[in-house]
Amino acid sequence: MAGGRRTESGRAGGPAAGLAGADAVLLGFVRALRAAGVDASAERMYAFLRAVAVLRPGMRADVYAAGRATLCGGPDDLERYERVFAAYFGATAGSPPLPTVRTPPPPRPRLRARDAAGGGGTPGERDPLGPPTAALASSTEVLRHRDIAALDAVERARLHRLLAAFALRGEARRSARRRPARRGEVDPRRTVRELLRRGGEPVRLRRHARVDRPRRVVLLVDVSGSMAPYADALLRFAHAAARGGRTEVFTIGTRLTRVTRELSARDPDLAMAAVAAAVPDWRGGTRLGELLREFLNRWGQRGMARGAIVVLLSDGWERDDPALLGAQMRRLHALAHRVVWANPLKARPGYTPTAAGMTAALPSVDAFVEGHSLAALERLAAVVRGADTGAVPEAGAER
């Protein structure tokens, strides 16, 4: 760009050079859209911030219109945008605007300044970003970084609404299939058929190109006793991921249970009820090595894990022999395209992966990330789709 390379932490010459509170709210909204699968690039983000600055940042209707015009790249993004906007700002996008939205905005700051000259105005009255939108969403932005285990019932309900807007898509891979394209290699069969139809007259060369498809994603969610504070939120994250297809979900504890079918219900609460009925080992012990071996023998070796992105969501506590877990992780590492481990304990101050299970698994892990909060799950989604490399553990073998 003409103004030089710019990042989210600052925009040279933009509508807000420093990240004020409302800027942080709007950037958090963009991150939530990315987690839901909307391709909100940096250029679109800057256009959104400029549009909001020109309009009225404190008004929900203006923020909604600015984001819909600048952040959505196609029809597929519109539904996701509606879901994320409703979850993030606490109201449906189609809700009637506040009465103040219809008030002409330009004269208001000057009139307030004159009226406040005699009585002393408060700083909030002169804040061009206004409180309505920031007040609605700032608590959501704080919630993004809160530990899921520390949330109360109201905060968990809001978290569930945000998780319902998630989307998880595997890193793109180039498949063997080809499709007609304007550019690419010459398609000899289609070109010859066109020649025959025209009696041998010269025709335009027909071309084709390879099709990019997302890799399969396999989620192994720990539902043991030590993971009880996080299990419900992680399974709701898995439910949102399973909606996009090409995602398989298993629970691990003392048994291995495939719950992909149970998570196919559109309603998250119905899906959670189905999973609760299907999983027999809630809040039990942990047999990671044995269950990983069962997964590989029954599903993974036959093709489910081959070339896939396998994500383990667990704290790494293992009650069986850690050597068995290490051996099975090496098998998994050889089959999968990428192995990601999300550990909720990683975010705690002073945490080191000293648990026997984690120590045995880390050499076969490609990305070791946190899994304790909404922001951490957003980053996990970015790692899975290849937009973020993740934190490669020191003991891990980089591939």
Side-chain angles (χ1 to χ4, degrees):
M1 298 178 67
R5 187 177 183 87
R6 294 180 283 188
T7 63
E8 291 188 9
S9 60
R11 304 189 308 280
L19 283 183
D23 268 340
V25 168
L26 297 176
L27 291 178
F29 174 55
V30 175
R31 286 192 290 267
L33 284 174
R34 290 173 179 170
V38 177
D39 185 17
S41 63
E43 289 76 12
R44 290 179 182 173
M45 180 187 69
Y46 296 137
F48 169 57
L49 294 175
R50 287 194 295 269
V52 171
V54 171
L55 297 173
R56 289 165 292 185
M59 296 302 161
R60 183 189 294 113
D62 286 9
V63 174
Y64 169 77
R68 196 175 190 274
T70 57
L71 297 174
C72 297
D76 294 340
D77 291 341
L78 296 179
E79 181 183 355
R80 297 169 184 167
Y81 181 85
E82 300 282 350
R83 292 202 313 266
V84 175
F85 190 94
Y88 193 84
F89 290 99
T92 59
S95 60
L98 298 175
T100 51
V101 171
R102 297 192 180 100
T103 305
R108 286 187 297 172
R110 295 182 180 179
L111 287 175
R112 286 183 179 180
R114 291 172 184 172
D115 292 342
T122 61
E125 290 179 339
R126 293 189 295 272
D127 185 1
L129 295 179
T133 298
L136 287 168
S138 59
S139 57
T140 302
E141 179 63 16
V142 173
L143 179 65
R144 289 180 61 253
H145 300 279
R146 290 279 305 279
D147 194 309
I148 294 172
L151 300 182
D152 58 29
V154 176
E155 291 171 328
R156 281 184 176 273
R158 292 172 55 201
L159 175 69
H160 294 168
R161 290 195 297 270
L162 290 167
L163 286 173
F166 256 72
L168 189 68
R169 178 171 296 184
E171 182 180 347
R173 66 175 179 85
R174 183 154 294 182
S175 69
R177 292 182 177 273
R178 298 174 185 268
R179 63 181 177 186
R182 293 183 178 181
R183 298 179 181 179
E185 300 176 1
V186 174
D187 186 342
R189 293 184 178 181
R190 292 178 61 234
T191 301
V192 170
R193 284 199 297 267
E194 186 70 17
L195 281 169
L196 293 176
R197 277 198 296 266
R198 295 178 176 271
E201 293 292 332
V203 296
R204 186 179 63 180
L205 295 177
R206 301 297 178 179
R207 300 181 181 274
H208 57 191
R210 291 187 182 273
V211 179
D212 289 341
R213 292 187 174 181
R215 292 184 179 275
R216 179 186 293 108
V217 179
V218 180
L219 301 178
L220 303 175
V221 184
D222 190 341
V223 295
S224 63
S226 60
M227 286 289 292
Y230 303 96
D232 181 71
L234 294 180
L235 283 170
R236 288 177 182 271
F237 170 78
H239 170 258
R243 283 201 316 261
R246 295 191 63 79
T247 300
E248 294 284 345
V249 184
F250 294 81
T251 62
I252 52 177
T254 58
R255 298 185 183 182
L256 178 72
T257 308
R258 187 181 185 183
V259 294
T260 307
R261 179 179 298 177
E262 286 74 12
L263 291 175
S264 63
R266 185 176 182 85
D267 184 83
D269 294 327
L270 292 179
M272 292 302 104
V275 170
V279 176
D281 55 336
W282 286 98
R283 302 193 176 189
T286 313
R287 299 166 54 231
L288 295 177
E290 180 63 32
L291 297 184
L292 187 56
R293 178 168 61 184
E294 180 182 345
F295 165 74
L296 291 172
N297 290 343
R298 189 173 178 183
W299 284 287
Q301 196 77 40
R302 297 181 180 181
M304 185 179 288
R306 195 178 302 276
I309 300 173
V310 181
V311 182
L312 294 98
L313 301 108
S314 172
D315 55 10
W317 290 102
E318 170 66 295
R319 76 177 190 181
D320 289 341
D321 184 7
L324 175 61
L325 176 59
Q328 300 310 311
M329 286 295 295
R330 288 190 290 273
R331 286 182 61 194
L332 177 62
H333 191 261
L335 283 172
H337 172 73
R338 204 164 184 219
V339 178
V340 182
W341 195 302
N343 189 333
L345 304 183
K346 186 176 184 292
R348 297 183 179 179
Y351 169 80
T352 54
T354 56
M358 280 301 341
T359 303
L362 280 182
S364 301
V365 172
D366 296 297
F368 186 42
V369 298
E370 301 170 354
H372 69 296
S373 67
L374 181 64
L377 294 178
E378 289 174 358
R379 190 189 177 200
L380 172 61
V383 171
V384 170
R385 69 173 179 265
D388 190 340
T389 59
V392 178
E394 294 180 2
E398 188 173 358
R399 297 171 70 184

